[in-house]
Amino acid sequence: MHAQDGTPRAGEDYPVSWRQFLDRFGTEEACVAYLQGLRWPQGFVCPHCAARTAPYPCSRGRLVCRTCGFQATVTAGTVFDKTRTPLRVWLAACWYLVNQKHGASALGLQRALGLGSYQTAWTMLHRLRKAMAPPAPAPLQGVVEIGDFCLDAGRIALAVEVARPPGVGQVRLRRLAAPSMTAMASFILGNVAPGAALRSAHAEDCQALARLGYACEHAAPQGARQPAMPGMHRVAALVRRWEQHLPQGAVQPTLLDAHLREFSFRFNLRGADSVGLLFHRLLQQAMHTAPATYRDIVQCRPE
Ligand SMILES: [Zn+2]
């Protein structure tokens, strides 16, 4: 499905316009085939016995394993698990979402797709935002600025790769339940490669991270016009601006993580030449992300 180096190709692996989207995803079968290619890029693998033989196609999109007889579907065990919404609608929701530069709202999605209820639109967005976190994100490398900052909805941990020429590479963000060094250390351990060269505005953080085996340099303030950590400064400003665009009520702490996932997903793919690549990546991740649990949804559901 992909070019030989694994890079998805515009127009072939993903549509680059609404017109191409409509031409390509007019039927459930076309949507199933696309998702199958994303879930099993090397060919079908039985979720039950791991056999790699081509399955028997069966009614309602089911695939029957020739080895053990297990009936699989392309969506079982993914964020689309047990959905009653047609895949055509899911893919259209995905296209709509990646095209909303400042983030999508449930009301906007409900109107754009003519969905029966706000609750359906809200739950769909919730599932898609779950898939916006890569299932196995690569740890940040090289020089990495770390720190935390405040939003109206809570305190955020931020790690920013410093790219050459001076600029910003990939970012990682997470809501901090408490502004403690333990929470920060767990964020760093989960997101930054052990060999990275960290920079922090807090000397005590550097000492604590050194005990974890990280090289950490204390970045002293350079004056108001020249922030000590320009990458952090820039990304924190963008996240604050992003928060201003969110719909009222969206910034309650339990929902903030979902919005941070959406910000990071867009920011880390900002160099893409087409939103089609975001569409492709989101669905690829959705195929490798576990279903949202009942608890996930109930905890965050708006009143
Ligand atoms: Zn099997």
Side-chain angles (χ1 to χ4, degrees):
M1 182 172 191
H2 293 163
Q4 287 205 328
D5 64 356
T7 314
R9 292 159 304 186
E12 290 187 44
D13 296 315
Y14 55 85
V16 295
S17 65
W18 176 236
R19 175 75 186 269
Q20 279 188 16
F21 177 94
L22 288 176
D23 287 347
R24 185 152 182 179
F25 299 117
T27 66
E28 282 298 283
E29 291 71 26
C31 298
V32 168
Y34 187 69
L35 295 183
Q36 255 178 261
L38 294 177
R39 181 161 183 187
W40 297 297
Q42 316 299 328
F44 177 76
V45 181
C46 172
H48 185 67
C49 74
R52 289 180 168 270
T53 41
Y56 295 111
C58 196
S59 58
R60 290 188 290 138
R62 284 171 301 163
L63 304 163
V64 181
C65 174
R66 285 176 198 261
T67 307
C68 73
F70 182 79
Q71 294 193 4
T73 62
V74 71
T75 52
T78 75
V79 293
F80 304 132
D81 199 39
K82 298 186 175 69
T83 182
R84 283 175 296 181
T85 302
L87 291 177
R88 278 176 302 134
V89 177
W90 271 114
L91 266 58
C94 194
W95 185 263
Y96 175 82
L97 175 56
V98 298
N99 274 282
Q100 305 307 304
K101 208 169 109 193
H102 300 299
S105 72
L107 190 60
L109 180 67
Q110 184 192 359
R111 285 180 180 154
L113 268 63
L115 298 171
S117 77
Y118 175 84
Q119 207 56 251
T120 302
W122 189 88
T123 308
M124 288 177 80
L125 267 187
H126 184 84
R127 290 202 201 193
L128 289 173
R129 287 204 184 101
K130 184 166 192 245
M132 284 181 154
L140 302 185
Q141 312 259 8
V143 178
V144 179
E145 296 178 355
I146 55 152
D148 57 351
F149 64 100
C150 267
L151 290 179
D152 290 345
R155 197 153 195 93
I156 309 299
L158 172 62
V160 177
E161 255 177 5
V162 177
R164 302 261 181 268
V168 171
Q170 297 277 299
V171 303
R172 301 283 182 269
L173 287 145
R174 190 203 286 167
R175 177 169 61 97
L176 286 173
S180 70
M181 192 55 224
T182 317
M184 194 66 188
S186 128
F187 169 71
I188 304 291
L189 284 168
N191 290 285
V192 183
L198 302 183
R199 304 189 76 222
S200 167
H202 306 291
E204 61 275 26
D205 285 4
C206 284
Q207 289 155 10
L209 289 162
R211 288 195 289 277
L212 293 172
Y214 283 99
C216 184
E217 179 199 349
H218 176 217
Q222 313 266 308
R225 284 169 177 272
Q226 202 182 351
M229 299 205 290
M232 275 229 33
H233 187 79
R234 182 174 143 205
V235 177
L238 289 172
V239 179
R240 288 198 184 97
R241 201 184 310 160
W242 169 268
E243 188 188 32
Q244 301 311 313
H245 282 288
L246 296 177
Q248 288 276 317
V251 286
Q252 52 178 293
T254 43
L255 287 177
L256 185 58
D257 287 321
H259 289 289
L260 291 176
R261 279 198 295 279
E262 183 171 353
F263 176 89
S264 308
F265 177 80
R266 288 176 194 281
F267 188 85
N268 288 333
L269 285 168
R270 67 197 181 283
D273 54 5
S274 153
V275 290
L277 183 63
L278 277 71
F279 170 83
H280 178 271
R281 191 63 66 80
L282 179 53
L283 285 171
Q284 190 176 43
Q285 292 180 183
M287 288 291 100
H288 297 95
T289 300
T293 62
Y294 178 73
R295 198 164 153 258
D296 282 342
I297 292 178
V298 168
Q299 266 190 344
C300 300
R301 180 164 282 170
E303 295 304 316

